[in-house]
Amino acid sequence: MIKVQFITAGGQRVEAQASAGQRLLEVAQAAGMPLEGTCEGQMACSTCHVLISPDWFSRLKPASADEEDMLDLAAGVAATSRLSCQITIGPDLDGLTVKIPGESRDMQRG
């Protein structure tokens, strides 16, 4: 299993286990993070926006132009912002640290 650490908007650290090939959005949702993912990974929204730890950001494949366009619509965007639906977990991301923006809400969970 691959470890992913989430930091909530309140600063709580939540460690999750992921399998190779899972999308970061799926891992976050399974760990109870408030990421809606309204478009179910079709890159038609920005409700899965996360902030990647600067130590890890350069290790990810660069965002596509379409992802960059969607990030323009996200609240609280920073230099290390990504859409979690566009990040596929692999062994090279073991230990990945991800912050959940304070603006994140999952309307499906209430």
Side-chain angles (χ1 to χ4, degrees):
M1 292 304 276
I2 300 161
K3 292 181 185 178
V4 177
Q5 182 172 219
F6 295 98
I7 303 171
T8 67
Q12 178 185 8
R13 293 181 180 273
V14 177
E15 192 169 287
Q17 300 289 323
S19 298
Q22 272 188 301
R23 291 182 299 168
L24 183 58
L25 173 60
E26 298 163 340
V27 178
Q29 289 174 330
M33 297 298 106
L35 299 178
E36 193 168 325
T38 304
C39 72
E40 298 179 0
Q42 300 302 310
M43 219 172 9
C45 72
S46 59
T47 61
C48 69
H49 167 234
V50 295
L51 303 169
I52 304 297
S53 169
D55 296 347
W56 285 95
F57 188 76
S58 63
R59 300 184 201 186
L60 300 176
K61 291 180 185 175
S64 68
D66 288 340
E67 181 179 353
E68 293 286 349
D69 288 345
M70 279 291 113
L71 284 168
D72 287 342
L73 304 174
V77 173
T80 61
S81 289
R82 291 295 303 268
L83 297 179
S84 60
C85 70
Q86 298 303 301
I87 298 172
T88 302
I89 300 295
D92 57 326
L93 296 181
D94 189 33
L96 176 66
T97 302
V98 179
K99 184 169 194 241
I100 306 300
E103 297 83 3
S104 291
R105 301 284 181 271
D106 184 347
M107 300 306 286
Q108 295 177 28
R109 292 180 139 201

